[in-house]
Amino acid sequence: MRDVAVIGIGMTDFGECWNDSLRDLFVKAALQAMDESGADRLDSIYVGSMSPGLFCGQEHIGSLLSDYLGQAPVPAARVESACASGGLALRCGFFEVASGASDFVLCGGVEKMTDVSGAQATYALGTASDQDYEAFHGATFPGLYALIATAHMHKYGTKREDLAQVAVKNHENGLLNPHAQYRMKITVEQVINSVKVADPLNILDCSPITDGAAAVLLCPLEMTKKLSKKPIVKIAASAMATDTMALHQRKDITWLGSTAKAAESAYKKAGVKPGDIDFAEVHDCFTIAEICVLESLGVVEKGKGGEASRSGLTARDGKFPVNPSGGLKSKGHPVGATGIAQIYEIVTQLRGEAGKRQLKKANRGLAQNMGGSGGSAVVHILEVL
Amino acid sequence: MRDVAVIGIGMTDFGECWNDSLRDLFVKAALQAMDESGADRLDSIYVGSMSPGLFCGQEHIGSLLSDYLGQAPVPAARVESACASGGLALRCGFFEVASGASDFVLCGGVEKMTDVSGAQATYALGTASDQDYEAFHGATFPGLYALIATAHMHKYGTKREDLAQVAVKNHENGLLNPHAQYRMKITVEQVINSVKVADPLNILDCSPITDGAAAVLLCPLEMTKKLSKKPIVKIAASAMATDTMALHQRKDITWLGSTAKAAESAYKKAGVKPGDIDFAEVHDCFTIAEICVLESLGVVEKGKGGEASRSGLTARDGKFPVNPSGGLKSKGHPVGATGIAQIYEIVTQLRGEAGKRQLKKANRGLAQNMGGSGGSAVVHILEVL
């Protein structure tokens, strides 16, 4: 397998993008990534998108976006693993470059979610849960994560304030991210007093409905060294794992098995331990998710995820910064784009280009992207040379 | 890149499978492929499916099917390129094995289409066309292919009977395929007198709405030689290309640019010419499609696709048999499964296991799988060692 590097990145502003269609969003992000790369061609395109069929009445977006980007006949594949579709796109592109089949592979993610009503969006997102055993019976994602939160509070004594603190911390970071959807400071009190969604989760515990796209261009490491004028960012590991789709089949719903397995595999491939990672972008679709993810990644012990934000461990100036971009909570969560937007942030930090939110130490970063209630997870580790 | 072989195949009966859900269908096909392989584990799963969201209200089927197959935490990715989703799944799995990252990769395809009404199915299929420029204005796939047929008749003098002959030939083959949905002999007269769908296409020019699944298990060639008791089938080439999504942007709508480009690339990779191929499974979603595909593959000259069936060239005992399985027309077209079912037939023929429909000469076969009206195409060439 050849070593693979990121040679270009791009992303749109995240938010309610009334003036941009799905294809506009993708092309904007893709052109940025291509522009900064110095590459003179594309060999292949992967695009992660969860449900353009339900959100926009449009499938077959690989062909559509290759065409609209002016790149046909370049091969283009849409890949999907619910909210982990972006991470999956990177994984597929990684294999194509690593195999030696292609040199320049664009991995993008896009979701246009605001063309449908809130109820329709909730239905579309619900198709990432088990239709027969969960969604059909009325469970929504806020409901499923509320079950996880309740179990975590019961088992480990996690406090309501611990959940809120995750949102507060991520909004502090998002405030400094020009691409973020919700650039505002919030307090623990505001989170706790915000509108109830599914007890114990309030609206400020939930990531928003968002339009947006992100793209990264992959290239063999040796070619990147010759072509790129930017610091060289290598993909040290790409790993994916699955878990039971439905929550009721898991022995412990506070433990994200797919994240734990993917991380274990990624650490092994990169030859590192959790302590060797400087910072992470993780899938905080709900505040409780970030707490469980940190435990499953091995960053903190089981049951200690709630402490991580409270103690300052995961703050931007903490020992292990988490979601310096603002995370899904503040930056926004266009589901298919999220996994690639995480990579955008990590590369930006590793290059030292993050401006006011630049971390002091950023040599090795981890991205954890999750589908549904953890039925799938993709973990990437990136290093600057 | 490592050489890649097919070590196991499986498929369900195609048809209206009232007793099997999407997950049942996939698992049946996957278990067959695993059972005959001699492999003791899976490293990764790819599943091609066009729109489980619109057909079944279920996305995230990578996780779902890995789970239901009893394989979680094995990584599982759903991939989509409309009706070429199956071919795309094979292409992704091919890269993962070729790269050296994985040894046993299951590539499956599935679609459960009969849980919705005919009108809903037509809408879902229409999402493979350009929503803004085609579907929104009322174009359906029969309508788009009718435009292609009309143009081909006008430009090359192709006769109504030539279209019909494709269906007649494919039904003759399907009659001998126990998995086929429509196992009945039809005549040119019956096709021409069948119900009009979109002039000049009648109902017997159109592939049906179908439930079904198919799966193939990939393995490095060298390992396959040690493990398999069956004749060894190698994937000599895997190629994909795109074209403009919408028909109106093409200079010549009778020419399938994505198929031509993918085939050109596949011939080059395999080091062969069209004349070195013994037979093909091609994407006859409509009778006119097979005619245009044969021209774009370089099997016959431009404008001569209509003659190919009439002259007997593409018959089972002809010089270049096409769709010995019965094709999409007779075998059925569960869109995401079709590309993998083509591989199932080619491997069956190459192994000499096709029973009554066994071809006399079957050493090298080609599969051409197409998305939408040719916005994407995937071509594979397989050889028996």
Side-chain angles (χ1 to χ4, degrees):
Chain A
M1 287 176 70
R2 299 195 290 184
D3 282 330
V4 180
V6 176
I7 195 172
I9 58 172
M11 75 178 280
T12 65
D13 288 344
F14 279 9
E16 297 186 29
C17 306
W18 300 111
N19 294 319
D20 289 316
S21 68
L22 181 142
R23 63 185 94 188
D24 297 321
L25 290 166
F26 179 82
V27 165
K28 281 185 179 181
L31 288 179
Q32 282 176 38
M34 290 163 73
D35 279 349
E36 75 159 27
S37 71
D40 59 357
R41 66 172 204 272
L42 290 184
D43 296 327
S44 183
I45 299 168
Y46 289 89
V47 53
S49 192
M50 180 188 154
S51 195
L54 290 167
F55 285 118
C56 307
Q58 180 71 69
E59 307 279 11
H60 204 194
I61 66 169
S63 165
L64 181 82
L65 298 176
S66 174
D67 177 14
Y68 204 62
L69 192 58
Q71 291 293 323
V74 167
R78 175 221 173 176
V79 299
E80 183 261 323
S81 191
C83 314
S85 298
L88 176 58
L90 188 69
R91 181 174 180 264
C92 291
F94 174 83
F95 286 135
E96 188 163 341
V97 177
S99 74
S102 294
D103 292 330
F104 297 105
V105 178
L106 184 76
C107 302
V110 62
E111 210 83 50
K112 174 74 182 171
M113 302 173 74
T114 64
D115 281 355
V116 295
S117 69
Q120 284 174 297
T122 300
Y123 168 75
L125 291 167
T127 64
S129 67
D130 191 312
Q131 196 60 207
D132 296 357
Y133 293 96
E134 295 181 324
F136 185 79
H137 305 279
T140 61
F141 271 102
L144 293 170
Y145 276 96
L147 291 175
I148 295 175
T150 305
H152 203 279
M153 292 164 91
H154 175 75
K155 188 168 182 180
Y156 298 118
T158 301
K159 300 271 186 304
R160 180 66 191 84
E161 290 75 9
D162 293 336
L163 303 177
Q165 187 57 44
V166 172
V168 170
K169 183 260 296 173
N170 288 346
H171 271 262
E172 273 173 13
N173 293 343
L175 195 58
L176 303 178
N177 185 347
H179 294 303
Q181 181 172 13
Y182 289 113
R183 299 177 65 192
M184 59 190 191
K185 216 176 154 92
I186 56 173
T187 64
V188 167
E189 203 169 39
Q190 281 174 320
V191 178
I192 291 176
N193 291 323
S194 65
V195 173
K196 184 69 64 194
V197 174
D199 191 52
L201 303 177
N202 295 353
I203 191 76
L204 285 177
D205 289 285
C206 307
S207 59
I209 303 288
T210 312
D211 303 328
V216 303
L217 184 55
L218 302 186
C219 181
L221 180 63
E222 295 309 315
M223 286 180 72
T224 306
K225 285 179 182 169
K226 284 176 203 158
L227 285 172
S228 183
K229 287 165 194 154
K230 302 262 188 183
I232 306 296
V233 175
K234 176 187 161 182
I235 300 183
S238 175
M240 185 189 196
T242 54
D243 196 355
T244 70
M245 182 86 157
L247 277 191
H248 69 266
Q249 289 187 293
R250 299 185 196 162
K251 282 182 190 159
D252 176 359
I253 63 169
T254 68
W255 183 248
L256 297 166
S258 58
T259 291
K261 275 282 175 189
E264 186 189 321
S265 170
Y267 294 144
K268 196 176 159 190
K269 285 174 189 170
V272 300
K273 290 173 195 161
D276 299 323
I277 309 285
D278 297 325
F279 69 103
E281 285 281 310
V282 309
H283 201 90
D284 60 321
C285 48
F286 298 92
T287 49
I288 182 62
E290 179 169 317
I291 289 171
C292 296
V293 166
L294 292 179
E295 296 172 16
S296 302
L297 286 175
V299 170
V300 297
E301 283 173 39
K302 275 188 187 184
K304 303 285 187 186
E307 270 183 38
S309 285
R310 197 190 334 131
S311 69
L313 174 74
T314 54
R316 217 164 56 254
D317 57 358
K319 205 175 159 195
F320 189 81
V322 172
N323 284 327
S325 71
L328 286 55
K329 178 67 200 78
S330 163
K331 185 176 54 185
H333 182 27
V335 283
T338 283
I340 298 291
Q342 291 179 329
I343 304 299
Y344 179 97
E345 177 68 12
I346 288 176
V347 172
T348 303
Q349 292 284 353
L350 292 177
R351 286 177 176 173
E353 295 177 344
K356 286 185 182 172
R357 65 183 195 285
Q358 179 64 47
L359 302 172
K360 280 184 200 151
K361 191 176 175 211
N363 298 315
R364 184 181 290 123
L366 178 148
Q368 179 269 352
N369 187 202
M370 186 157 67
S373 55
S376 64
V378 186
V379 171
H380 284 94
I381 297 174
L382 289 86
E383 299 170 348
V384 66
L385 298 192
Chain B
M1 285 176 71
R2 300 194 292 185
D3 282 332
V4 180
V6 176
I7 194 170
I9 57 172
M11 75 178 281
T12 65
D13 289 344
F14 279 9
E16 297 187 28
C17 306
W18 300 111
N19 294 319
D20 289 316
S21 68
L22 181 142
R23 63 185 94 188
D24 297 322
L25 291 166
F26 179 82
V27 165
K28 281 185 179 181
L31 288 179
Q32 280 176 39
M34 290 163 72
D35 279 351
E36 74 158 27
S37 71
D40 59 356
R41 67 171 203 274
L42 290 183
D43 296 328
S44 185
I45 299 168
Y46 290 90
V47 52
S49 193
M50 180 187 154
S51 196
L54 290 167
F55 285 117
C56 308
Q58 180 72 70
E59 307 279 11
H60 205 196
I61 65 170
S63 164
L64 182 83
L65 298 175
S66 174
D67 177 14
Y68 204 62
L69 191 57
Q71 292 293 325
V74 167
R78 175 222 172 176
V79 299
E80 182 260 325
S81 190
C83 315
S85 299
L88 176 58
L90 189 68
R91 181 175 180 265
C92 290
F94 174 84
F95 286 135
E96 187 164 340
V97 177
S99 74
S102 293
D103 292 330
F104 297 105
V105 177
L106 184 76
C107 301
V110 62
E111 211 82 50
K112 175 73 183 173
M113 301 173 74
T114 65
D115 281 355
V116 295
S117 69
Q120 284 175 297
T122 300
Y123 168 75
L125 291 168
T127 63
S129 66
D130 191 312
Q131 196 59 210
D132 296 357
Y133 292 95
E134 295 181 324
F136 185 79
H137 305 280
T140 61
F141 271 103
L144 293 171
Y145 275 97
L147 291 175
I148 296 175
T150 304
H152 203 278
M153 293 164 92
H154 176 73
K155 188 168 183 178
Y156 298 117
T158 301
K159 301 269 185 304
R160 180 66 190 86
E161 290 75 9
D162 294 336
L163 303 177
Q165 187 56 45
V166 173
V168 170
K169 183 259 297 174
N170 289 345
H171 270 263
E172 273 173 13
N173 294 342
L175 196 57
L176 303 177
N177 185 348
H179 293 303
Q181 181 172 12
Y182 289 112
R183 299 178 64 192
M184 59 189 193
K185 217 176 153 92
I186 56 173
T187 64
V188 167
E189 202 169 41
Q190 283 175 320
V191 178
I192 290 176
N193 292 323
S194 65
V195 173
K196 185 68 67 197
V197 175
D199 190 53
L201 302 177
N202 295 352
I203 191 78
L204 285 176
D205 288 285
C206 307
S207 58
I209 302 287
T210 312
D211 302 328
V216 303
L217 185 55
L218 302 185
C219 182
L221 180 64
E222 295 310 315
M223 286 179 72
T224 306
K225 285 179 181 169
K226 284 177 203 159
L227 286 172
S228 183
K229 288 164 194 155
K230 302 262 188 183
I232 306 296
V233 176
K234 175 187 160 182
I235 300 183
S238 176
M240 185 189 196
T242 53
D243 195 355
T244 70
M245 182 86 159
L247 277 191
H248 70 266
Q249 289 188 292
R250 299 184 197 163
K251 282 181 191 161
D252 176 359
I253 65 170
T254 68
W255 184 247
L256 296 165
S258 58
T259 290
K261 275 281 173 189
E264 185 190 322
S265 169
Y267 295 143
K268 196 175 160 192
K269 284 174 189 171
V272 300
K273 289 172 195 163
D276 300 323
I277 310 284
D278 297 326
F279 68 104
E281 286 282 310
V282 308
H283 200 90
D284 62 321
C285 47
F286 298 92
T287 48
I288 182 62
E290 179 168 316
I291 289 172
C292 296
V293 166
L294 292 178
E295 296 172 16
S296 302
L297 286 175
V299 170
V300 297
E301 284 173 38
K302 276 189 186 185
K304 303 284 187 190
E307 273 182 35
S309 285
R310 198 190 334 131
S311 69
L313 173 76
T314 53
R316 218 166 53 252
D317 57 359
K319 207 176 159 197
F320 188 82
V322 172
N323 285 327
S325 71
L328 285 55
K329 177 66 201 81
S330 163
K331 187 176 54 183
H333 182 28
V335 283
T338 282
I340 298 290
Q342 291 178 328
I343 305 299
Y344 180 96
E345 177 69 12
I346 288 177
V347 172
T348 303
Q349 293 283 354
L350 292 177
R351 287 177 177 172
E353 296 177 344
K356 287 183 182 171
R357 66 183 194 285
Q358 180 64 46
L359 303 173
K360 281 183 200 151
K361 190 177 177 213
N363 298 316
R364 184 181 289 126
L366 178 148
Q368 179 269 353
N369 188 203
M370 187 157 65
S373 55
S376 64
V378 186
V379 171
H380 283 95
I381 297 174
L382 288 86
E383 300 170 350
V384 66
L385 298 193

